Amino acid sequence: MPHGPVRWPLVYFDCHTTEQAGWTVVAVVGELDLASVPGVRSSVVAATQNRKPPYVVLDLAGVEFIDSMGLGVVVGARKRVYAVGGELRVVVATERVQRVFALSGLDTLLPLFKSLAEALVPPTGGVGDGA
Amino acid sequence: MPHGPVRWPLVYFDCHTTEQAGWTVVAVVGELDLASVPGVRSSVVAATQNRKPPYVVLDLAGVEFIDSMGLGVVVGARKRVYAVGGELRVVVATERVQRVFALSGLDTLLPLFKSLAEALVPPTGGVGDGA
Amino acid sequence: MGREVLLEIPARPEYLSLARQVVAAAAALEPSFRAERIDDLRVAVSEATTNAIESHLDRGSDERIVIRCNLADDRIEVEVFDRGAGFDPATASTAPSADSEDRLEHERGLGIPLMRVLTDEAEIVSDPDGTAVRLVVYTPRSPQ
Amino acid sequence: MGREVLLEIPARPEYLSLARQVVAAAAALEPSFRAERIDDLRVAVSEATTNAIESHLDRGSDERIVIRCNLADDRIEVEVFDRGAGFDPATASTAPSADSEDRLEHERGLGIPLMRVLTDEAEIVSDPDGTAVRLVVYTPRSPQ
Ligand SMILES: Nc1ncnc2c1ncn2[C@@H]1O[C@H](COP(=O)(O)OP(=O)(O)O)[C@@H](O)[C@H]1O
Ligand SMILES: Nc1ncnc2c1ncn2[C@@H]1O[C@H](COP(=O)(O)OP(=O)(O)O)[C@@H](O)[C@H]1O
């Protein structure tokens, strides 16, 4: 069965935050589900407090699996960021993750980008420097 | 947990035979266990009938998992090849597979090579051309 | 012999991934399933198992979640059983329909709708002693 | 709540990989296990499960193989149960000792010795109604 090598399955998840081109980038790698959403949620909270208004990119290019708990954390991040006048962008690179956004009708409601490079163009209102 | 990306687990196994530098190379990729040994066994039988005496390399560099059923097929291959005056070499590249050979005491009894290149030097008795 | 796999896991979030893996691996044994369809099933199973785990956590229950995975030539059927407090599927709070702007206000309630669109059949039976969710995906060649 | 996972699989070779995956994934939830030790357990579980599957195939039995995987802070314990015809572990035909040239004559009988060296404890209980194999691997910090 030609499906690529077997790796033994381990819970894999990582979330780290960087500053890039005026954006706070929260990059998520691995599986985004009930087990891992708390980590993403706290990274988003931290990113939102980082700068006012917050310009946040949620980079899901490295996400191998997402379910409705993962979608929920994205919706929650958007609410949180917009509540304080910021902007949130979401990078969705794989078809598998894109499909879950689409089937939930969120693909047209959220600003999805195919790559981090595309998401890093200046925010709609211009990148603030904290002023 | 920093253990690399998750892939969903699929039964993965492939076995193909080529002629290289006077050797019949049976290359195995994937998991070598009760489920996959029949495929390797029949490739070895074919390789043994290919040329007399048979010079066979069993290339396990791509094997991700091996248990005693896999070891058994290697021992069986050696018997079969030596019975008709041929030579069998085995390529074991990963530590994981090497460990299973070592713990069974077979690492010193079988001619193990770390790479296909090393295994492809001329056979002890010189490569025959079928004569 | 049937091709039925039974899995019981602790009602803890970290076992979700294991449940998905087992179902995906069991489904992969039927060569006629396309990889994309198995991915769909993985998500649906994740939704059902997430809800099951949460129902036990809500109740403080120590019992395990049971997942039964039945592979037939024409379909794969996955059942997820919990012993939580149950709910009424007809009135469960689900997010507003996909084309409503309002949907962006809802972080929860996305699971059951997703489960339904990802499978060919999704049936929920619930009472105050627990819930059973049955998910079915047909192989490409069989009638849907 | 305990961290016990229960898996039942059809007695067919193609489900071996699934059994190994489940045990490895369950073991990986205890961060103190080194990856190499989990690999050892994978092989040991494969040996026990191979024998269990073969015992059912020999008997033409339709019953599933049961694998119980219990994760504690200081150890992981895996039990494999079959309902095959059983055997006498003391007199089972195993390959000659590792340093004997004779070993190269034996394609079978390598499993039980390997199972024993790969685990910290390996116990086999067998009667004509079936066999239970218990495999234990300790975490690095606990006394062995
Ligand atoms: N197995 C279950 N046991 C008890 N309640 C459940 C179960 N599954 C779903 N529910 C209820 O239905 C609601 C909607 O579920 P779902 O659409 O999956 O979204 P979410 O889980 O994000 O809330 C849940 O919030 C819960 O109240
Ligand atoms: N679960 C079992 N049920 C019945 N017989 C068994 C079982 N496990 C092992 N045996 C017997 O013990 C023998 C040795 O087993 P093992 O060392 O694993 O090598 P192998 O399986 O390659 O023969 C088997 O051939 C079989 O006769």
Side-chain angles (χ1 to χ4, degrees):
Chain A
M1 280 168 246
H3 287 288
V6 171
R7 311 181 75 119
W8 40 281
L10 286 165
V11 178
Y12 181 58
F13 171 73
D14 184 48
C15 185
H16 61 272
T17 303
T18 53
E19 296 294 325
Q20 290 182 56
W23 293 87
T24 303
V25 179
V26 178
V28 184
V29 173
E31 301 193 311
L32 197 40
D33 65 4
L34 181 67
S36 55
V37 286
V40 180
R41 204 176 283 126
S42 59
S43 294
V44 167
V45 169
T48 311
Q49 290 162 345
N50 214 18
R51 177 202 322 247
K52 296 202 178 330
Y55 293 101
V56 179
V57 175
L58 200 47
D59 181 1
L60 307 183
V63 169
E64 311 235 345
F65 176 87
I66 193 168
D67 62 16
S68 72
M69 287 292 150
L71 297 178
V73 91
V74 177
V75 169
R78 183 192 169 277
K79 275 206 285 192
R80 182 176 291 272
V81 167
Y82 279 67
V84 291
E87 186 171 343
L88 177 89
R89 293 178 175 179
V90 184
V91 179
V92 170
T94 60
E95 220 174 295
R96 201 185 289 195
V97 173
Q98 163 69 30
R99 179 166 165 81
V100 178
F101 274 91
L103 289 174
S104 303
L106 291 170
D107 57 337
T108 55
L109 299 173
L110 288 167
L112 303 189
F113 294 79
K114 288 214 184 319
S115 69
L116 181 57
E118 288 169 74
L120 287 178
V121 300
T124 313
V127 169
D129 57 355
Chain B
M1 278 167 251
H3 288 287
V6 172
R7 312 181 75 122
W8 41 281
L10 287 165
V11 178
Y12 181 56
F13 170 75
D14 185 47
C15 185
H16 60 272
T17 302
T18 53
E19 295 294 325
Q20 289 182 55
W23 292 88
T24 303
V25 179
V26 178
V28 184
V29 172
E31 301 193 310
L32 195 40
D33 65 5
L34 181 67
S36 54
V37 286
V40 181
R41 205 175 284 127
S42 59
S43 294
V44 168
V45 169
T48 310
Q49 290 163 344
N50 214 18
R51 177 200 322 247
K52 293 197 181 335
Y55 294 100
V56 179
V57 175
L58 200 47
D59 180 0
L60 307 182
V63 169
E64 313 234 343
F65 175 88
I66 193 168
D67 62 16
S68 72
M69 286 294 151
L71 297 179
V73 91
V74 177
V75 170
R78 182 190 169 280
K79 276 206 285 193
R80 183 175 290 273
V81 167
Y82 279 66
V84 291
E87 185 172 344
L88 177 89
R89 293 177 176 182
V90 185
V91 178
V92 170
T94 61
E95 224 173 294
R96 200 185 289 194
V97 173
Q98 163 69 30
R99 179 167 165 80
V100 178
F101 274 91
L103 288 175
S104 302
L106 292 170
D107 57 337
T108 55
L109 298 174
L110 289 166
L112 303 189
F113 294 79
K114 288 214 183 319
S115 69
L116 181 57
E118 289 168 73
L120 287 179
V121 300
T124 312
V127 169
D129 59 355
Chain C
M1 193 193 312
R3 292 193 286 175
E4 182 173 301
V5 171
L6 205 107
L7 178 70
E8 294 187 20
I9 53 167
R12 299 177 168 210
E14 63 264 36
Y15 286 88
L16 251 182
S17 181
L18 181 59
R20 293 193 298 260
Q21 283 162 24
V22 167
V23 171
L29 291 170
E30 175 50 52
S32 60
F33 279 115
R34 285 176 300 115
E36 304 77 52
R37 209 63 188 121
I38 296 180
D39 281 336
D40 287 350
L41 184 64
R42 272 162 60 81
V43 177
V45 167
S46 196
E47 300 301 345
T49 310
T50 295
N51 288 342
I53 290 172
E54 289 194 314
S55 79
H56 282 212
L57 292 178
D58 285 351
R59 232 184 190 183
S61 163
D62 265 10
E63 282 183 76
R64 287 194 294 268
I65 304 300
V66 176
I67 297 159
R68 198 159 69 192
C69 182
N70 208 329
L71 190 60
D73 285 342
D74 67 332
R75 67 172 73 193
I76 182 163
E77 187 179 293
V78 181
E79 289 169 295
V80 179
F81 302 94
D82 67 59
R83 309 269 296 185
F87 73 115
D88 181 357
T91 62
S93 69
T94 49
S97 74
D99 48 4
S100 158
E101 181 77 27
D102 228 32
R103 167 155 283 205
L104 284 179
E105 295 306 312
H106 294 76
E107 295 166 46
R108 303 297 305 251
L110 298 163
I112 292 174
L114 199 53
M115 199 188 305
R116 293 197 189 281
V117 323
L118 286 167
T119 56
D120 294 313
E121 288 176 32
E123 187 189 358
I124 302 176
V125 178
S126 190
D127 68 33
D129 288 329
T131 300
V133 176
R134 193 175 135 270
L135 305 167
V136 182
V137 169
Y138 293 107
T139 59
R141 60 168 181 269
S142 64
Q144 316 218 350
Chain D
M1 192 192 312
R3 294 193 284 174
E4 181 172 302
V5 170
L6 204 108
L7 178 71
E8 293 187 20
I9 53 167
R12 296 175 170 214
E14 63 265 35
Y15 286 89
L16 251 183
S17 181
L18 181 58
R20 292 193 298 260
Q21 283 162 23
V22 167
V23 171
L29 291 170
E30 175 51 52
S32 61
F33 279 116
R34 283 177 300 115
E36 302 78 51
R37 211 62 190 119
I38 296 180
D39 281 336
D40 287 350
L41 184 64
R42 273 162 59 80
V43 178
V45 166
S46 197
E47 301 300 345
T49 310
T50 295
N51 288 343
I53 290 172
E54 289 194 313
S55 79
H56 283 213
L57 292 177
D58 285 350
R59 231 186 190 180
S61 163
D62 263 10
E63 282 183 75
R64 286 194 294 268
I65 304 301
V66 176
I67 296 159
R68 198 158 70 191
C69 181
N70 208 329
L71 190 59
D73 286 341
D74 67 332
R75 67 172 71 195
I76 183 162
E77 188 177 294
V78 180
E79 289 168 296
V80 179
F81 302 94
D82 68 59
R83 309 268 296 185
F87 73 115
D88 181 357
T91 61
S93 69
T94 50
S97 73
D99 48 4
S100 159
E101 180 77 26
D102 228 33
R103 169 156 281 206
L104 284 178
E105 294 307 311
H106 293 77
E107 293 166 48
R108 304 297 303 253
L110 297 164
I112 292 176
L114 200 52
M115 198 189 305
R116 294 199 189 277
V117 327
L118 286 166
T119 56
D120 294 313
E121 288 176 32
E123 188 189 359
I124 303 175
V125 179
S126 190
D127 68 33
D129 287 331
T131 300
V133 176
R134 192 175 137 270
L135 305 167
V136 182
V137 169
Y138 293 107
T139 59
R141 59 166 180 270
S142 64
Q144 313 216 354

